[in-house]
Amino acid sequence: MHEIEPVPATSSRPSAAADARPSEATGAPRPLAATRAAPGASNTEVWRLVQNAVRARVAPEQFATWFRRATLDHVDEARVRLAVQNQFTREWIQSYYTRVIEEAIVEVLGSSRALEFVVNSELVLFNPVATPSPSDAQNQPAQTARPDPRTASNGNAAHDPALVSDVGLNPKYTFDNFVVGPCNRFAHAAAVGAAEQPGHAYNPFFLHGSVGLGKTHLLQSLCFALLQRNPKTRILYLSCETFVNHFISALENGDLQKFRNKYRNVDVLVVDDIHVLANKERTQEEFFHTFNTLYQAGKQIVLSSDSPPKEIPTLQERLVSRFRWGLVTEIEPPCYETRMAILKRKSREKGREIPDEVARLLAERIDSNIRELEGAVTKLIGYSNLTGANITAELARDVLRDLFAVRRGAPSLDDIVTVVTERFGVKLSELQSRKRTNAVAFPRQISMYIARQITRHSLEEIGGFFGGRDHSTVLYAVEKVGEVMESDPDVHEMVTGFLGQLQGPSI
Ligand code: ADP
Ligand code: MG
């Protein structure tokens, strides 16, 4: 999802006046002689000339923000297609710089072409980190900058899109949107501290905890807070996987120097999921040097991981010890009250209120993963919006059946067979045999029905387990047991009893 992201050279937007009419606003002189591309010039050469022509028409920080990472994707007699790093940049350039680019094209190619854009997110990754020029300092974003409708509409602490687009952050991941409870209070405070005093408070800042507990959310909030305080901060936020992939491709392409410049020339390096370094010796080596260079220069390093440093398999001892130089803190699973608060917050974010009874139900059942909690809210509200059904405990039980089943340690087919065979006094081998007498077929069908309800196995997989039967046999069993349950209260009671036994107390 949010993968790597880069360092905005100048993440500032141009001032409102400059936005509207970039060339006039800057008053940049027009070049007297056009710099025409030679016939047959390569795309790279054409783009270099077009860039120069654009550069002559816009202020340096505008150029750095909008054009430095762009490339020429295609040119022919009719069209010029530019590749830009993201949708936001594309919209911005189209709105404000089309004329400038068209003029530059005429200057370089001698005639006008239709201007097209394509988004290539790789550009974010591979183009060099731009170093702020002294002129950037005088070009802080104007307070009067045109409000962006996407942020103006909700009026809360959403990110400035100019920042979002360049650093690739999820606008929802802010400190404001983070619910603080006993499980994450310390991690939250540390992240806020690191954002306030990068390089000083805690360096490195190492955050660990299991999946879905808010590590990425905190890391991105930290980046956002840093950019809010100082939009010129050069932040490199990326997943460790991106670091690994980038390193491998740098090795393959002999681009190691460029790679190193990129990673060692930042103010803040934030690497999400650093445990991915496990078993990757060469990347560990490289990261070690990256770490040292940044650390010695007093730059902030922020890392997240699914386990503490010493538990990351095969992590070199010298990295383990460095990761512990600063602050190592754990984010723990949320307690009940925090889960309730998160549920309330997430539903409000989606424009709905979840009744207390339903929130309690969810908070009781989903206790170890905030992503799942959020998923449950999304699903429930989505379903209710779609069908108009009220959000009730009953609806939650129905709509979220799968999720609840998985959460309860996902009983296996073996678990199911154990309870069923015990009750009926049959053997597993019989359930898996070709026998079709009622004494065997019925418990087999019940087992299939239960497997369908509380495991994620497909019809085929279930059929395979019960003696290589095909999916239609399983489907038939599921339907038949469902019908019998409706007509026969004893069977209903027995099957719900099995379900309860396998899943814990029924909801
Ligand atoms: P991790 O990186 O630890 O696997 P994430 O940061 O991706 O987890 O969090 C998973 C989801 O849960 C995200 O949508 C995030 O916004 C949400 N979340 C986690 N912790 C909190 C919290 N304390 N308050 C609000 N939302 C949270
Ligand atoms: Mg994460």
Side-chain angles (χ1 to χ4, degrees):
M1 290 225 280
H2 26 259
E3 274 311 282
I4 127 84
E5 319 300 336
V7 182
T10 64
S11 7
S12 58
R13 274 188 284 171
S15 72
D19 286 354
R21 291 172 296 132
S23 49
E24 288 84 346
T26 62
R30 295 293 158 85
L32 296 175
T35 319
R36 194 63 68 83
S42 67
N43 280 8
T44 315
E45 178 60 8
V46 170
W47 180 234
R48 193 181 64 78
L49 294 170
V50 172
Q51 273 187 311
N52 285 343
V54 168
R55 202 195 313 263
R57 290 169 161 82
V58 303
E61 83 281 5
Q62 293 174 8
F63 183 83
T65 306
W66 304 111
F67 295 98
R68 199 178 302 207
R69 278 196 270 265
T71 58
L72 185 64
D73 182 64
H74 174 82
V75 56
D76 61 30
E77 288 305 310
R79 296 172 298 160
V80 165
R81 188 163 61 232
L82 301 187
V84 297
Q85 69 268 30
N86 55 41
Q87 187 61 27
F88 178 76
T89 303
R90 171 196 183 139
E91 284 168 19
W92 195 275
I93 294 181
Q94 276 179 323
S95 304
Y96 298 110
Y97 297 101
T98 301
R99 218 185 70 217
V100 170
I101 300 171
E102 282 170 356
E103 283 174 13
I105 288 170
V106 170
E107 189 175 307
V108 173
L109 298 175
S111 61
S112 66
R113 311 287 156 98
L115 186 56
E116 296 174 357
F117 291 88
V118 56
V119 172
N120 176 359
S121 54
E122 294 241 305
L123 294 173
V124 179
L125 180 56
F126 290 103
N127 278 14
V129 170
T131 326
S133 69
S135 67
D136 290 343
Q138 293 131 36
N139 286 297
Q140 296 290 339
Q143 291 305 310
T144 54
R146 193 175 61 97
D148 184 282
R150 281 168 293 187
T151 47
S153 59
N154 53 19
N156 64 20
H159 297 234
D160 179 332
L163 307 181
V164 176
S165 61
D166 259 348
V167 194
L169 303 175
N170 183 330
K172 290 189 309 196
Y173 292 172
T174 60
F175 285 135
D176 285 348
N177 289 342
F178 191 82
V179 176
V180 180
C183 54
N184 57 27
R185 190 180 306 285
F186 197 57
H188 173 263
V192 171
E196 280 171 2
Q197 287 192 295
H200 296 288
Y202 319 105
N203 205 16
F205 170 36
F206 190 101
L207 176 63
H208 68 94
S210 59
V211 66
L213 295 185
K215 300 183 295 296
T216 298
H217 189 137
L218 274 185
L219 258 48
Q220 294 207 8
S221 304
L222 189 159
C223 294
F224 177 56
L226 280 164
L227 284 174
Q228 257 187 332
R229 291 171 71 85
N230 179 4
K232 306 290 180 214
T233 315
R234 292 170 302 160
I235 303 173
L236 197 48
Y237 166 82
L238 70 156
S239 68
C240 187
E241 199 182 342
T242 303
F243 184 87
V244 174
N245 292 341
H246 193 189
F247 177 60
I248 292 169
S249 74
L251 280 179
E252 280 169 6
N253 302 331
D255 269 351
L256 221 47
Q257 203 46 50
K258 194 167 148 193
F259 174 88
R260 290 181 176 149
N261 285 343
K262 177 185 170 74
Y263 285 98
R264 299 183 190 179
N265 190 19
V266 295
D267 300 320
V268 181
L269 177 67
V270 183
V271 185
D272 206 355
D273 295 330
I274 195 76
H275 55 265
V276 167
L277 282 184
N279 302 314
K280 298 191 179 65
E281 238 167 83
R282 281 202 75 178
T283 320
Q284 287 188 21
E285 178 80 23
E286 184 63 28
F287 191 76
F288 172 75
H289 295 294
T290 306
F291 184 102
N292 285 348
T293 309
L294 290 171
Y295 188 85
Q296 278 155 17
K299 307 301 189 188
Q300 176 74 50
I301 299 158
V302 181
L303 307 169
S304 82
S305 163
D306 67 1
S307 49
K310 67 174 184 323
E311 287 172 25
I312 299 175
T314 78
L315 190 68
Q316 297 173 3
E317 197 44 47
R318 56 187 187 164
L319 277 176
V320 173
S321 72
R322 272 164 182 74
F323 290 174
R324 295 155 96 185
W325 277 350
L327 180 75
V328 175
T329 185
E330 183 174 3
I331 186 164
E332 286 168 16
C335 64
Y336 179 78
E337 290 75 11
T338 311
R339 300 203 294 278
M340 284 295 279
I342 290 171
L343 280 168
K344 293 275 175 188
R345 168 74 67 96
K346 297 290 177 189
S347 50
R348 229 170 294 134
E349 275 173 19
K350 293 178 201 320
R352 295 286 297 268
E353 293 283 344
I354 289 195
D356 276 351
E357 185 202 6
V358 180
R360 277 199 298 272
L361 191 65
L362 297 182
E364 272 159 24
R365 299 290 304 199
I366 308 168
D367 61 2
S368 59
N369 184 327
I370 297 175
R371 186 175 294 122
E372 274 186 12
L373 211 54
E374 193 173 2
V377 174
T378 306
K379 200 165 169 187
L380 201 55
I381 291 181
Y383 187 85
S384 159
N385 286 346
L386 208 67
T387 60
N390 286 334
I391 299 179
T392 59
E394 201 186 338
L395 185 80
R397 282 192 191 97
D398 192 30
V399 173
L400 303 172
R401 220 168 5 154
D402 284 3
L403 199 90
F404 284 22
V406 169
R407 179 243 158 217
R408 273 288 157 191
S412 65
L413 292 171
D414 281 329
D415 297 334
I416 295 169
V417 167
T418 305
V419 298
V420 175
T421 51
E422 204 172 54
R423 172 73 169 262
F424 283 91
V426 289
K427 296 197 190 82
L428 169 62
S429 59
E430 287 178 302
L431 293 188
Q432 293 178 325
S433 73
R434 308 306 310 165
K435 274 193 193 165
R436 295 171 62 178
T437 55
N438 214 20
V440 176
F442 193 47
R444 182 189 294 132
Q445 286 170 336
I446 288 181
S447 304
M448 289 175 169
Y449 173 87
I450 296 173
R452 198 58 192 148
Q453 302 302 314
I454 64 174
T455 74
R456 290 204 166 164
H457 291 295
S458 65
L459 294 170
E460 282 79 0
E461 287 166 339
I462 297 170
F465 181 84
F466 290 100
R469 295 180 152 80
D470 75 15
H471 78 279
S472 59
T473 309
V474 181
L475 198 58
Y476 173 75
V478 172
E479 281 168 4
K480 184 179 161 199
V481 172
E483 281 164 17
V484 178
M485 280 172 74
E486 284 200 357
S487 60
D488 184 338
D490 289 345
V491 174
H492 187 275
E493 197 188 328
M494 177 176 68
V495 176
T496 45
F498 286 146
L499 289 171
Q501 206 177 331
L502 288 158
Q503 292 182 284
S506 74
I507 53 168

